[in-house]
Amino acid sequence: MKKFLDLGLQPLANSYILKKNLKLKEKKFRLVVGFETKNFLVSILNTVSKEKMFNKDYPYKSSESKTMRSSFAKLAKKLKAKFKPKFSIEIGSNDGTFIKNFDKDKVVGVEPCKNLALITKRKKYKIYSNFWNIDLAKKITRKRKADLIYSANTLSHIKNFNEIFKAIKYALSNRGILVLEDPSLLECLKKTAYDQFYCEHLYVFSTISLKKILKKFDLEIFDVENISTHGGSNRYFIKKKQNKIYNVKRKVKNEINKELKYGLNNFSTFKKFAKKVRVSKIRLLDIFKKVKTQNKKIIGYGATAKSCTVLNYCGINNKDIDYFYDTTSYKVNKYLPGSKIKIKKYRKLRKNDVDYVFLGAWNFKDEIFKKEKKFINQGGKFISHVPYPRII
Ligand code: JHZ
């Protein structure tokens, strides 16, 4: 593992602080990112235990954005029509935004965060509130194997590949497919979106790295789609090697060629990226300084896990940003880890209240700009650090 990026001491991204705990010392870890030359895998070096990150108070809910709700609904419709799964499993079902598009007797969810599992259980879906592993795979598929396993923004959060993919292979029926969706390393590098790295994102996958990992389990990618969610993700369609129902599409080779052309197999590419990250920090701080000297008020929009990395890496705190707006009830009235910026219940932006808005949820820029059209028309401005620090 060769290190290429040091994002400094970071708190746990989704550990929003209660007011009464503001004075307590936060647990921090050094966020260092490295490249494994053998597998071309990019991952963070110091990891935090899964139980610390994914617990009964997990704050992130997929249903908070219209973009995700409609992306999941559209995908569910497509998967049902194309693959006709009799039984499906979702690994990391969050608050049920995806599985609610399936019949209750044809799907189960796996969600270790008990508060989220409960939301879906209340809607009468079968949810296993455990971490995905081989024992659970055996339990779930005792009577029937899965024709579809879906997992979005979850496998990049799990450390033990051996257990994970073995369990997936075990749980899949002979015609079964695995559909994975995670942020794309290529997009992350192209956009200098270094905030894709935080405690939960152990990996940011490339197609070339995933292909190598899957090979060890006799699994292979037969199709890939570039999708816009979470700042640019890849959706992989994966099957057992012996499954000959689906041919490997040309698109897979094209994606691999695109990544090789960009140099995702070369350490020097990541050294260059790290340099761009350092420049991005300087430019973002310049913008904040400029705006602050004009006595303008800055607030944040979308108290994302990603924001944690940016704010703590750049040393931006509650002196620079008055507060954040977020629609998630679990986050409201708490404080962002490290930077200790208060999170307030979302209100539509008004130019009378605020001049500049730091876009923590830059991945939902289109959705947010649509919602805040009035503020923009009134001359309100946004600050974004992706793909490069700028005022919009
Ligand atoms: P969003 C989380 O990351 C954590 P985060 C996790 N590790 C992961 O991989 C991704 O999700 C999938 C709010 N919001 O999706 C809602 C508004 O307030 O970028 C959310 O708190 N108003 C599992 O946290 C946040 O922004 C809005 O109009 O980086 C978005 O978080 C919209 C659209 C969102 O993920």
Side-chain angles (χ1 to χ4, degrees), residues 60 157 198 200-201 230 305-306 326-327 331 363-364 371:
Y60 176 78
H157 299 54
Y198 52 88
E200 293 177 12
H201 280 184
H230 291 297
K306 295 184 289 295
D326 199 288
T327 51
K331 297 186 185 179
N363 43 316
F364 293 117
K371 220 161 47 179

Side-chain angles (χ1 to χ4, degrees), residues 14 16 54 58-62 64-68 94 152-154 156-157 183 195-196 198 200-201 230 301-307 325-328 331 346 360-364 367-368 371-372:
N14 266 315
Y16 299 90
F54 308 110
Y58 194 72
Y60 176 78
K61 288 201 294 178
S62 312
E64 292 296 330
S65 101
K66 200 172 157 198
T67 312
M68 290 317 292
N94 198 273
N153 302 298
T154 302
S156 54
H157 299 54
D195 54 355
Q196 289 290 9
Y198 52 88
E200 293 177 12
H201 280 184
H230 291 297
Y301 199 115
T304 57
K306 295 184 289 295
S307 303
Y325 273 147
D326 199 288
T327 51
T328 317
K331 297 186 185 179
Y346 165 72
W362 57 266
N363 43 316
F364 293 117
E367 181 177 337
I368 293 169
K371 220 161 47 179
E372 308 302 343

Side-chain angles (χ1 to χ4, degrees), residues 90 93 96-102 107-109 120 125-127:
E90 185 184 13
S93 55
T97 313
F98 176 73
I99 65 170
K100 80 174 181 40
N101 300 293
F102 286 76
V107 71
V108 302
T120 328
Y125 279 92
K126 177 80 187 155
I127 307 294

